[in-house]
Amino acid sequence: MLVQQLLLETLEELRNDDFKMLKWYLSLKILDGCKPIAKSRLETASRAETVSRMSESYGEESAVSVTAAILKKMNFNGAAVRLQNTYAEGQPATPSTSSSAVAPPAAAEFAAPAKLSAQHGSVIIAPTVAGGTSGTWNITIHK
């Protein structure tokens, strides 16, 4: 997948207010070696234009790193991890609503049930589920 397409898909998942916040972060120094993009170049930029500006300013790899860092600052950790993983794999991101003809995994590929726990006042961030999104899912939350 083209990096620009991956970045565009990521930005398209943001609500308008979140997209504006991302553009604000792009005007700040986020990572060493990546200069901020001038506010005037981003002010009226669409999502596609923003991706172009990021690619021009940072190059593809750094554009992914900057975007992931900004998403983390905005508390979109899942989106940041998906972006980084998809970029690292070099495969297109497949939305959970897509219906592709993929053979179901063999029984050996299913993971055993996992148990997550946290101490009082702690937070558990749900893991990302890879692979098929169909079937039965049992999620139990105990307080």
Side-chain angles (χ1 to χ4, degrees):
M1 164 181 279
L2 295 172
V3 172
Q4 290 183 336
Q5 181 181 351
L6 175 61
L7 290 169
L8 181 59
E9 288 177 5
T10 301
L11 297 188
E12 286 176 340
E13 293 296 319
L14 298 176
R15 295 179 314 213
N16 286 336
D17 288 344
D18 296 327
F19 175 60
K20 289 177 186 176
M21 180 66 71
L22 180 128
K23 291 195 300 185
W24 177 79
Y25 273 112
L26 287 171
S27 69
L28 305 174
K29 184 173 182 177
I30 299 299
L31 297 177
D32 289 335
C34 294
K35 294 181 181 178
I37 300 173
K39 289 180 184 180
S40 62
R41 296 196 68 214
L42 296 170
E43 191 173 40
T44 60
S46 68
R47 285 167 170 77
E49 291 167 335
T50 300
V51 168
S52 294
R53 304 265 189 308
M54 291 166 55
S55 295
E56 292 165 4
S57 298
Y58 305 133
E60 291 184 345
E61 186 174 342
S62 292
V64 170
S65 298
V66 167
T67 304
I70 291 171
L71 290 170
K72 288 177 183 176
K73 287 181 179 290
M74 295 172 60
N75 292 319
F76 290 119
N77 296 325
V81 169
R82 279 191 301 278
L83 172 63
Q84 291 173 315
N85 289 344
T86 303
Y87 175 72
E89 293 169 2
Q91 298 176 0
T94 52
S96 60
T97 57
S98 70
S99 59
S100 57
V102 176
E109 293 181 276
F110 288 104
K115 181 177 181 179
L116 301 174
S117 61
Q119 295 176 350
H120 180 70
S122 298
V123 175
I124 295 177
I125 299 176
T128 302
V129 178
T133 57
S134 62
T136 303
W137 294 83
N138 295 321
I139 300 173
T140 306
I141 299 173
H142 297 281
K143 275 187 124 179

